[in-house]
Amino acid sequence: MNKLEYSPSTSDSFGLHGSVAADASSVHSRWEALFIVLLSVAAGLVLAIVWSFEVADGMLGATIANTTLGVDAKAVSIGGPLFGIIFGFAAGLAATFTACNCVVFSCVAPLVAEKQTQRQSIVRVLGWMVLGVLGVTMLYGAIGVFLRDSLPILSPARLAIGSGEGYPVRLAQSTVVFVILGAIFVVWGLHILQLVASPLHRFSSDHPWLKPLAIGLMVGFFTVGRPFPLFRKAFEYAVDTGNPVLSALVLALHGLGNIAVVVLLILLLVYGTGGRFQRWIRQHPHGVMILTAVSMLVGGTFFIAYWGVRVPSLFGIGWFPQMPYN
């Protein structure tokens, strides 16, 4: 079978419905889908090669945090609960464009498409996403108080693999978390293109809240894998208080900081374009499907290549091409 036949039922797997489903019922070549996958994977690999963590973390991240707090975030001492919570949000906002969070922008297309095609209000769609983010980050913050240094991301220990002093366990946690998340993004993109089946297709079609909630849960797990220094500073403070509620609040604000820019971008697309963006969605369902699939595939490939191959290669584990400025 060398054709992909999109029907109203299968189109729901993209979050498409109504007039979108009618147009999506046209027949498209499986080779078209494979070509989209090839280009998306290539784009994700190129992004992983050219990515500069010095610029993303050191320049953009530090500048955002310093501007938000009005002080040098790296040098300032977190002196109390209120400032700790504010610092958590600033660190989350600063992490927006880092390698452990940039893939959040891959969620813009599916979230906006979900709002339009499932006839949900954008507030409801974003609400489910926020619920997923808060669920993961608050639980992680509370657990951190009990695990403390035994939590890999807060441990100075190293694994006896690779070259030099070994592979830091905090980066090992990042590798595991982001490779798993990357694989989920890739499979999701392949499912959108109908190259793989989803066991949750029927359930998600009957429960439109599931997709934005799932996206929120995945974005929440970005925090679980995050080795970003400012995040670790906020997390270490929260854990040292010994208060699981305060720690949960600090990480909750951190999670909200992670998605603040994306939420504003989505609201701008929905309400700030005079309806033009929504009309484009209705008139170009196949384009929406491709955009959503590409965003998932590029983001997933980047996570797998960057965190699963490039970062370990810096410690003598495997090989990955490096740019001169890195």
Side-chain angles (χ1 to χ4, degrees):
M1 182 177 181
N2 62 356
K3 296 286 186 180
L4 290 178
E5 296 188 9
Y6 297 104
S7 64
S9 59
T10 56
S11 66
D12 284 341
S13 63
F14 315 137
L16 305 178
H17 189 67
S19 62
V20 178
D23 185 80
S25 62
S26 58
V27 178
H28 301 282
S29 169
R30 183 176 292 270
W31 289 110
E32 177 191 10
L34 293 175
F35 183 66
I36 292 170
V37 172
L38 181 62
L39 287 182
S40 300
V41 170
L45 288 173
V46 170
L47 184 59
I49 293 172
V50 303
W51 186 267
S52 173
F53 60 85
E54 290 93 346
V55 173
D57 295 17
M59 293 178 62
L60 289 176
T63 300
I64 292 172
N66 295 345
T67 302
T68 303
L69 294 172
V71 294
D72 184 346
K74 197 172 182 179
V76 70
S77 175
I78 303 177
L82 179 58
F83 187 72
I85 293 172
I86 296 173
F87 189 94
F89 178 82
L93 194 62
T96 300
F97 302 102
T98 62
C100 54
N101 199 74
C102 64
V103 175
V104 72
F105 291 98
S106 297
C107 303
V108 172
L111 285 170
V112 175
E114 190 69 15
K115 178 267 175 193
Q116 180 64 34
T117 57
Q118 294 288 356
R119 302 181 188 278
Q120 301 183 85
S121 71
I122 193 61
V123 173
R124 179 171 295 182
V125 171
L126 293 176
W128 283 112
M129 181 188 70
V130 169
L131 181 63
V133 171
L134 292 180
V136 174
T137 54
M138 293 183 73
L139 181 61
Y140 187 47
I143 290 176
V145 171
F146 300 103
L147 296 182
R148 294 180 176 268
D149 288 345
S150 60
L151 195 65
I153 207 72
L154 297 178
S155 172
R158 290 174 177 261
L159 301 175
I161 55 176
S163 59
E165 298 179 354
Y167 195 48
V169 294
R170 70 177 187 278
L171 293 181
Q173 177 173 325
S174 301
T175 294
V176 171
V177 171
F178 287 120
V179 167
I180 292 174
L181 288 172
I184 294 173
F185 272 98
V186 168
V187 171
W188 196 332
L190 294 175
H191 172 61
I192 291 172
L193 294 173
Q194 285 200 306
L195 293 174
V196 299
S198 170
L200 297 177
H201 163 59
R202 185 177 297 277
F203 184 80
S204 62
S205 297
D206 295 336
H207 301 84
W209 49 264
L210 180 62
K211 290 190 184 78
L213 177 64
I215 290 173
L217 291 172
M218 289 191 293
V219 173
F221 271 99
F222 290 1
T223 298
V224 177
R226 177 161 296 130
F228 185 47
L230 290 181
F231 163 69
R232 291 209 319 275
K233 181 175 181 176
F235 199 11
E236 286 170 356
Y237 161 77
V239 166
D240 288 343
T241 65
N243 185 335
V245 175
L246 177 59
S247 184
L249 285 175
V250 170
L251 263 67
L253 267 294
H254 181 83
L256 293 179
N258 284 169
I259 61 175
V261 174
V262 166
V263 169
L264 289 175
L265 177 59
I266 291 173
L267 292 175
L268 177 63
L269 288 172
V270 173
Y271 296 117
T273 60
R276 288 188 295 274
F277 187 74
Q278 292 168 275
R279 287 194 295 273
W280 183 86
I281 288 179
R282 288 193 297 269
Q283 295 167 5
H284 301 86
H286 186 55
V288 174
M289 182 266 290
I290 292 176
L291 179 61
T292 304
V294 167
S295 65
M296 291 294 186
L297 290 168
V298 172
T301 301
F302 172 79
F303 265 175
I304 294 171
Y306 186 89
W307 291 103
V309 186
R310 176 176 163 177
V311 172
S313 74
L314 298 176
F315 295 84
I317 305 171
W319 177 87
F320 195 79
Q322 299 292 332
M323 300 299 290
Y325 51 78
N326 286 327

